[in-house]
Amino acid sequence: MRHNSKMALKKKHKAAKKAGKKLTALYKLSSTVAKSGHYENILQKILDITRRAMKIDACSIRLLDEHSLTLELAATAGIPAKFTGAGYYAKLKLGEGYVGRAVRYRRMISERNVSKVKYRFPGPASTGDFRSLLAIPIIVNKKLLGGMTVYFKKPHSFTRSEKEMAGAIVSQAAIAIYNANLYRDSISTIQILAKALESKDTFTKGHSDRVTEYALLLCSEAGVPEKEANLIREICPLHDIGKVGISEKILQKKGPLDSDERAIVNEHPLIGYDILKPIRIFREGLAIVRNHHEWVNGNGYPDKLAGEKIPVQARITAIADAFDAMTSRRPYREALSLDDAVKELSDMSGIQFDARFVKVFLKAVRRNMRSVEHIIETARVSTAERYN
């Protein structure tokens, strides 16, 4: 009896340990869901958590392209490089392969030893790299988003507990992917609006894209954390969205603006802020829109912030914005030469612009001179169209 009691207790401890691992994995995934926004980060985190929680050798996520009805490889962990590039394995039709069938029939499909099965398709489980797999459809609100596949290198019979854990993880992953889709669609919609604004004025056509390129160049050189760089990548194209509320007559004026006109133009950061503020997904990056005209000496606008009180993303955008403005043609002046623009940035370092970031940006310009010259030439060709 005592032996049986010990065995029962041991089983309970084992079950509790498994349950604890499952809860830990789901908690981590829930945290990922709450912060969802950037596809690459989310998908990779999901796979990393899955590998640790299930102690599998590899896993992958495919997302459904609703137009072509194909499953496209979106992220992998532990999969050999020969399967992650272009080729047959990069895309699967619905019903093709294990994951294709799992998605098509909306159910899990497992295989203990693929080498014993006649049904084959090019992929990790058909070459000897992996022997067993579990394919799970990714579904949220009855909508198919794609599928996840987990692999073991050796033959493995998936237990009920493992399938339950995989199902729970994929359920959380589905929410994260769904939220990321909403985020991406919202970003795309607003960026389309920003481009529509630029199309009203040939002088500023492409300005937002160029500013974003320069800002990301600075981020790369400065080693800006990935989260900050992603915010700049997504919000920087919207930094001038507030100009939608400014008269074209003022924006396209060929001579200098008078004080009243300048005051109106200076409202565009606040107008942009008010446009984007109600949209939850933009809130982290709103400083890019509101504060990219602040000066480090406190003489900028609209909030008269100074030094470190100006958010990092705004200080970076300010330099990129000014550099593109100087090297592009405007209604009231010709474009400055690259040398003159560099001198202007240097002269205003520590006054208008963050001195450290100016130094880093100019270093990035020197290191990437060919790319920078190409961007500048693109801007000049674009604005020249106005006179043809």
Side-chain angles (χ1 to χ4, degrees):
M1 286 293 289
R2 185 175 295 175
H3 176 71
N4 290 339
S5 295
K6 285 184 178 180
M7 287 293 289
L9 190 61
K10 191 174 181 180
K11 283 184 178 179
K12 285 183 179 179
H13 280 306
K14 192 174 181 180
K17 192 174 181 181
K18 281 185 178 180
K21 285 183 179 179
K22 182 177 178 180
L23 287 172
T24 299
L26 292 179
Y27 172 77
K28 288 179 179 178
L29 267 175
S30 295
S31 179
T32 298
V33 170
K35 299 173 183 175
S36 59
H38 309 292
Y39 250 137
E40 295 79 6
N41 294 347
I42 292 168
L43 298 181
Q44 207 57 56
K45 284 178 183 177
I46 289 169
L47 294 181
D48 291 342
I49 292 168
T50 302
R51 284 186 80 186
R52 288 196 297 271
M54 296 187 67
K55 294 184 178 179
I56 55 176
D57 293 311
C59 49
S60 64
I61 288 177
R62 291 178 176 274
L63 298 177
L64 178 64
D65 183 326
E66 294 180 338
H67 298 292
S68 62
L69 295 180
T70 56
L71 291 165
E72 301 186 6
L73 192 63
T76 66
I79 303 287
K82 60 186 174 182
F83 297 115
T84 58
Y88 180 83
Y89 184 66
K91 289 186 179 182
L92 294 175
K93 295 177 182 177
L94 282 183
E96 193 172 45
Y98 288 95
V99 68
R101 287 187 291 164
V103 174
R104 181 175 181 179
Y105 299 113
R106 295 176 176 247
R107 63 181 177 85
M108 288 189 190
I109 295 178
S110 63
E111 192 62 67
R112 182 181 184 279
N113 191 345
V114 174
S115 65
K116 302 290 185 182
V117 179
K118 292 181 180 179
Y119 177 82
R120 296 289 186 90
F121 75 99
S126 65
T127 60
D129 293 271
F130 300 95
R131 290 299 179 90
S132 59
L133 62 84
L134 175 66
I136 314 106
I138 301 173
I139 303 171
V140 64
N141 297 330
K142 298 183 180 180
K143 181 180 176 65
L144 281 170
L145 299 179
M148 178 190 285
T149 311
V150 301
Y151 300 92
F152 280 103
K153 290 182 178 179
K154 296 180 180 180
H156 178 83
S157 296
F158 288 90
T159 65
R160 180 179 176 181
S161 175
E162 286 174 327
K163 290 179 179 179
E164 286 177 352
M165 175 172 277
I169 287 173
V170 168
S171 293
Q172 288 291 308
I175 297 170
I177 293 169
Y178 180 76
N179 287 346
N181 277 332
L182 291 178
Y183 185 92
R184 183 184 59 181
D185 291 345
S186 297
I187 289 282
S188 297
T189 300
I190 299 296
Q191 287 180 351
I192 288 169
L193 290 175
K195 289 187 182 300
L197 167 67
E198 287 188 351
S199 70
K200 292 164 53 179
D201 181 6
T202 310
F203 283 113
T204 58
K205 186 177 180 181
H207 169 69
S208 294
D209 287 339
R210 295 192 300 271
V211 171
T212 303
E213 286 189 73
Y214 290 137
L216 291 175
L217 192 68
L218 199 166
C219 285
S220 177
E221 189 71 36
V224 171
E226 186 177 20
K227 182 179 179 182
E228 301 284 346
N230 278 330
L231 283 172
I232 286 172
R233 181 178 290 108
E234 293 177 345
I235 310 299
C236 199
L238 312 175
H239 73 281
D240 275 342
I241 191 70
K243 286 184 179 178
V244 72
I246 309 297
S247 164
E248 288 181 44
K249 185 178 179 181
I250 294 176
L251 293 177
Q252 297 179 23
K253 185 176 178 180
K254 292 185 178 180
L257 300 179
D258 62 33
S259 58
D260 290 338
E261 291 167 334
R262 174 53 58 191
I264 291 171
V265 170
N266 288 359
E267 288 291 314
H268 80 270
L270 290 177
I271 296 171
Y273 177 82
D274 288 339
I275 290 171
L276 299 180
K277 185 180 178 181
I279 307 172
R280 179 181 60 82
I281 57 174
F282 291 122
R283 287 177 189 166
E284 278 190 277
L286 280 178
I288 293 171
V289 177
R290 182 176 180 120
N291 301 120
H292 66 279
H293 283 294
E294 303 288 356
W295 287 31
V296 293
N297 69 358
N299 289 334
Y301 62 91
D303 299 316
K304 300 293 182 183
L305 300 180
E308 297 290 320
K309 290 185 178 179
I310 306 172
V312 169
Q313 310 102 304
R315 277 179 272 152
I316 289 172
T317 303
I319 293 170
D321 184 41
F323 185 74
D324 182 66
M326 288 187 286
T327 54
S328 302
R329 196 174 191 177
R330 287 293 184 266
Y332 49 88
R333 62 156 174 79
E334 295 295 322
L336 272 62
S337 69
L338 177 57
D339 288 342
D340 286 342
V342 167
K343 183 178 184 305
E344 185 71 17
L345 282 180
S346 298
D347 289 346
M348 298 303 287
S349 176
I351 300 170
Q352 181 176 355
F353 308 113
D354 183 299
R356 182 176 71 89
F357 283 140
V358 167
K359 185 177 180 180
V360 171
F361 180 69
L362 296 182
K363 182 180 177 182
V365 168
R366 289 192 295 272
R367 283 164 54 95
N368 299 273
M369 185 61 73
R370 186 172 295 180
S371 296
V372 170
E373 288 176 340
H374 175 72
I375 297 170
I376 292 172
E377 181 59 27
T378 301
R380 288 176 179 170
V381 170
S382 176
T383 53
E385 293 173 358
R386 187 175 182 89
Y387 292 95
N388 297 331

